[in-house]
Structure formats: structure tokens, C-alpha cells
Amino acid sequence: MQMPEPRADILTGRARIVERLRAALPPGAVIDDAIELKVYECDGLAAYRCPPMCAVLPGSTAEVSAVMRICNEEGVPVVPRGSGTSLSGGALPTADSVLLGVARLNGVLEVDYDNRFIRVEAGRTNLSVTGAVEQDGFFYAPDPSSQLACAIAGNIAMNSGGAHCLKYGVTTNNLLGVTMVMADGEVVEIGGAHLDAGGLDLLGLVCGSEGQLGVVTEATLRILAKPEGARPVLVGFDSSEVAGQCVSDIIKAGIVPVAIEFMDRLTIRAAEAHVAAGYPDCEALLIIEVEGSAGEIDDQLGRIIAIAKAHDPVEIRESGSAAESERIWKGRKTAFGAMGQINDYMCLDGTIPVSELPFVLRRIGELGAEYGLDVGNVFHAGDGNMHPLILYDANKPGDLEKAEALGADILRLCVEVGGCLTGEHGVGVEKREIMTAQYGADDLEIQMQVKDVFDPQWILNPAKVFPLEVSAGRRS
Amino acid sequence: MKITSEQELAEAIRGANGPFRVRGGGTRDIGKPVVGEALELGMSGIELYEPAALTLVVRAGTPLAEIEAVLAGEGQRLAFEPMDHRVMLGTKGEPTIGGVVAANVSGPRRIQAGAARDFAIGARFVDGSGRIIKNGGRVMKNVTGYDLVKLMAGSWGTLGVLTEVSLKVLAMPETEATLVARGKDARHGIAALAAALGSPWDITGAAHLDPGVAGPESETRVRIEGLAASVDYRIGALQREICAGWEVLRGDESAALWRQVRDVAPFADAPVVWRLSVKPSATPAISQALGQAGLGHAALYDWGGGLMWIAPDPEHDDGGAEAIRAQIAAHGGHATLVKAPADLRARIDVFQPQTGAVAALSRGLKQKFDPRGILNPGLMG
């Protein structure tokens, strides 16, 4: 992975730029000490690191606006950062950039149960949005695995999903409005407490734009009444293909579980070794969760189990209590960490049509064998969003590059079968160069023209999303 | 000009000398009247339908009725419940899926399932320069590049002409039922809807109709859909907690109530109809203020109150625009003049006028997507 050469003219102006930012922000909001900057040198894609020229931590929309005004005047790239949990390098700085962290913007501005929304500052963590309303029986639906740490700002930038988006949709389906600071510092309000746009759907455009169109400082989010209860069933199969068929049959039967999660043998064993969740040792495992009252849950699980039984499962375990539910989920929720115990890993995020699941799983196995790398699969099966985990050894020279090449091959495979490069992690730097596998020249050009409208100077997160060569003319 | 392929469309747009009026089925004559050659889109047909993956890829000119029939054959449907504008506008023709997406047309279930824009997961279109563009795909989760599908949904053919759309579909429920109360004023009706929508019982329709709209008394309606036992359970829970004494209508009777709301059928004879998307709890006050401003209107409230259909007294010279837009200025949201004679639509802003940075962004996007200004020029203002 390459990043553009830092611009010498910006680096020579560093002292002046830092000075101007200091003058505009309260004490302590500008960080330029080399040791303190280490915190900001990478995000969740820790294989790539580069400290920014400086970091700023504004505490209000007005302060974000002041930062953007200065950076726009100076022509300095700005890399926005929520909590830094991105798995695609969305918050990876360049040496000539100002890293803009929104972590201090974490307040709740308004809670409105009659109209079912909450307005928060965008640095607030995903889980603490639900935390602000759950005592009154409400929740915020999108639930990325990193929800304890990740910020709403980053969720909006990457249009994050989560295990439960099969029923509730992803961020864009739950976002009502934003306050956003434009590249030139102007503050714009898009959407609000009402539904849908009165003109062009700018909100739909901003969501998932990876911090390239503006810095979101406040968000109005839909909140929903919590269901009365939820309960999973775990089903083990001795073939991935059969597990995939079972998923299809459940969906075709008209049942909408809130989540259908899939784990393969490698991740099942890793999870067992890690937390001893009591999973069966089998080729494929599904965790299917439904919601409702006790009676509604029984009814739905009964139908799901009847379908599963027709596929010769090696084990069916229906949760009968909160403790059993927790145990069923435990292995899944800690699966990434469990894989990390085995080795370093690279987590992919391609989405495929659900019908292609058996073929894609088989091909991933074959590709892994060709590269001599193990690949674990744990993912959201209901919506086809795969998370192949490529195991590699960061200390072994050449292993990272090999994993990157395998990753690119797997993502190309996802596109070939009718899917896409990324379902919820974003393109960032990780998938930037293979965007051409999914999009033609005009498809990319029109997206870059959208950025031209929002950010004519291309100072917002410029070295992301588009292949470097394709965006070179605009970034210079 | 009748267009039968994407390639032909691209060539026609590239070689165009004057503006086009983009038409799907011609059932939604909404917006400022557009002067230009009619561009009639004939590309029709389902390209891919995978019921087990809940996905449908379809050419933009495909009649909605054809799609709904095919989906029904597999027990599925378009869950955003697109409104049939023919009922209220008195138009003829066959609605097409391209028109539905281009106008982001949703119905009562929008409040629970989402809008057309939420179900549109991929698109192909030809922009104003004649470039053939694809965006999104046929999978539900996709953050590969910017989401131009959302931008195209609701852009009314002003940024590009859709040639193909991919949609997420959902299963039809086993059954449905509606709880109905009569005689509540708007404030109490909408408060009841808010309570129902704030309950865990998964309401898929929440409407209030002023007296005189669907009958002499007002009606407040709450819909539940799902497995039969679950619907029974939730009716019981709602009657116990929120809807004590409300009448229960089931099956076809229930469905008819929501077709009426979806299509705003009670305003079929009204010459002027506005559509307001606002914060639900603000609507009773808005209605009251409009009454005080002498609008002499009746209102149909969908989406728990957040969608207000207003048929003002047609005597008003501006169709009630000044009074209605003043309410939007005070409460937020947006108002669209969906139905009015062409001369009135030519005189006033049909879509909510934009200001400042939002207006500049919209203008900037139009300029990039359609630099010559030949696609439905002026339709959105």
C-alpha cells in the first residue's frame, strides 16, 4: 500500500500552521509533540502507520469550522477521525496532514421520544447513544462490532452496519440529519427531525462518503422502541454449502430474523480455544436470532428449527435463558479477538449475493491454499456481508504483502459474483487501488466530481477511496 | 422520442440540442412544468430476481404492476409501499419502477420499513453528458464509493435518466390488522400514534384523518403485520396499553384502509394538494396555524403525523404557499405542491426552496451531472 509523498511546501509551513491552529483553539486542543502524535498514527488497520503533521481536538462545531477555514486557506489536507476504529485505514494520516479528531464532541443534545429521535454530537460512541435512551426502552439500531468504541462520526463516514442490520438497516437507513462543516469552514444543516429530503438527497450522499465531503459534527438519529425480548438458536452443519442453503430457505420462508451469523471451522475452533463457548466442532455454524414477545419468539424459532432440521444439522441448540443466549453469542462476538490469538490477521469486508455463498467459500479456501495462508470466515450471512480473516505473520518479511494480494483476489472474487468490495468497513486506503475492479472510469469520475462540488481543493481525506493515480490530478 | 435501450439513450442525450422532459409511465406530472422534448423510456423487463437473496434487478421502464405480480408469486413485495399517484392526480398510464425510484415514492410503511431510497441498492443511469454510469450493486450492504443511488432517488430525472435499478424486496406478512379510533382531534390522534410507534409492537402504519376526509368523524389508524399469532398478540397488547376500545379490522378490510391512505384517495377531487414532511408532533400546531391563516383546509396525516397531506381551499391565489412555507420555516421539514394546475405550479416554488450552502451544493451537483441543463430543466426549481 502506498501513500502520496507529503508536500514539501506544507511541511515547511508546519510551524505557522500549528501556530494559527493554536491561536484559533482553546489550550490543549492542538497536539504537535512527536510522542503524543503516535496515538494518531494509525487506526484499526494497524499495519499502516504515519504520524500526522499535527492533531487537533476541537470541542464545538465552531471550533471545527475554525480549523477547516485555516486548513482551507493553507491548502493543508485534513484527515477526520472518529474513534480511530476503522478497519480500512479511513483515518490513516499523511505526514503533511492535520488530523481532526472529534472525540471531544460527545454530548447528547436532544432526546425526543414522541418523535423517536436523538440528536448527538458526532464523536459520541455508538453504544453510548443507546446508553442515553435505553432506560426509557429505546435503542439505536446499527450495531457494528466495535460499537463500544466507535464514534457516530465514523459510522456515518463508513455507513456502518452490524449484526442486526438484516432487520434494521445500516446507518444510512437510521440517519435523519447532520450538522456538517464544509471544507471551507461553512456550517451546513442537512435533514432534521423529519423524513426524507425536500430536494436532492444530500444526506444519502454524505453517509458513506468516508470523511471526504465534510466533517460531521452533529447527527440526528432514529431511535426505536426495544423489542420485548430476543433469543438465538445455534445450528451446526457438516458442510458450509448446506448452511448456506439453510440461510436461503429461512429467508425464502418469509421469516426475518434480526441476525443470521455464520462461522466456519477455523473460527469455531479459535473461538472455542479463546472463550470455550461450547460450540460443536463442525464445518459451519449459524447463530440465528429473533425478537418479540416470548410467544412470538417461540413461534419464529419453531419455524426456523423446522427448516434447519430438514438440512441434517449436527447440532441444534435453542437458547432457553439470557445466560444461554449470552453463551451462544460469546464465541461470535469474540471471534476476531480469538483469531488474533492465533496470528496477525487482515479482516476483509466484501459483500456477495447470498446465493453465491457456497461457491465463494470454496473459492476462498482454494485461493488461501494457493497463497499458503489460512483464511477464517465469520460473517453476516443474512445479507451476504463476508468477513474473511486472512492469517499472516507481521514479523515474517513478505507475509503482509502476500496477505494483501490474497485479500485483493478475494475481493475481486466478490465483485465477479455480483457483489462489492466493501459492505461496511469502507474503501479507505485498503481497497482504494482495486476500486477499478468494481467501477469503470466514468463511474469513478462522476464520484470525484461530487467531491469537487463539496471540496473543490480536495483537502478532506484526499488520499482515500479513489486509486491514487486516478485522483492524482485533483490532489496536486 | 421513444427510447428502447441504454445505448440509444446515451446517444440521444449526447446528441441533444434542446432540453428533455423525462417520462416513465407519465403518471406523476409533478413539479414545475418542463418545456422540452418528451423522452419516453421503453426499457422494460426483470433482469434478475433471487427471492432467497431478497434482490431484484429490473430495467427502469418496467411497469410497477408487473413487478408486484412477479414478487407476489414468491410471497414477496416492495415493502416501501409506493403510492399510486394516479388516484389523486387523475393521471392515466402505467407507473414504472424508474419513476417510483426517481421520485422516491413511498407509502405508509415508510415509517417502519423505510423509503424507496432505502430499498434502492443499485442503479444504472445516463447523465446529462450522455455518460453511462453504474453505482451500488445488487447486495444490501455496500459502501464501495459514494452512494449515488440515494442521490438519484428523489432527483426526479434532473441529474440523470435511470435505466436499471436494483431493489431489496421483503416477504409479505402472513396477515395484517388495523386498529381504528374515531372522533379524536388531531392532537390526541397523533399523540396516540406516537405512543403506538414508541411501543415494542412494530407498527407498520400510523395515520390520522381529519373529520370529513374519510367520513364525518376523524379516524386514527394503527396497522400491524406479521405472523397471525403475533398479530393477535400485538393487537391485544395495544388494546390493553394504548388503544383501549379501538375497533379491529382485518385482512382485506384493513388493506383497503391503507390503500386509501397510501394513494391519498380522499383528495382525488381536490384541485390543490400539498405534501409536508415535518416532525410528527409539530403537525397539529401546523394545522391549527394554517386554519388561523384562513387556509380552510382538511388534512390527512400519515407516518405518525410526520407526513401531512393538505388540501387547501382552492380560492387562494398562491395555493396556500405563503402560509404553508411560513410553517415550514417555523418548524423545519419541507413542503411540496404535489397537485395544482400547471399555471399555479409555474408561478410558485413546487419543491421546498433551498438556501445557502444546501442550495449551492444542489446547484453544483446539477452542474456536474447535467452541465448543459437539458434533463428536466427547472422541474425542481
Side-chain angles (χ1 to χ4, degrees), chain B residues 1-14 39-44 47 59-61 124-126 130 132 161-164:
Chain B
M1 191 186 299
K2 182 90 178 167
I3 299 289
T4 53
S5 78
E6 188 177 67
Q7 204 56 45
E8 204 182 307
L9 175 64
E11 279 159 25
I13 290 179
R14 257 181 250 137
L39 197 57
E40 297 193 33
L41 301 164
M43 294 94 79
S44 179
E47 300 196 356
R59 294 200 188 103
R124 293 177 67 91
F125 61 95
V126 177
I132 297 173
V161 182
L162 290 168
T163 58
E164 180 190 290

Side-chain angles (χ1 to χ4, degrees), chain A residues 41-49 86-87 89 392:
Chain A
E41 69 180 10
C42 73
D43 56 23
L45 188 64
Y48 311 123
R49 291 162 194 264
S86 171
L87 293 170
Y392 71 100

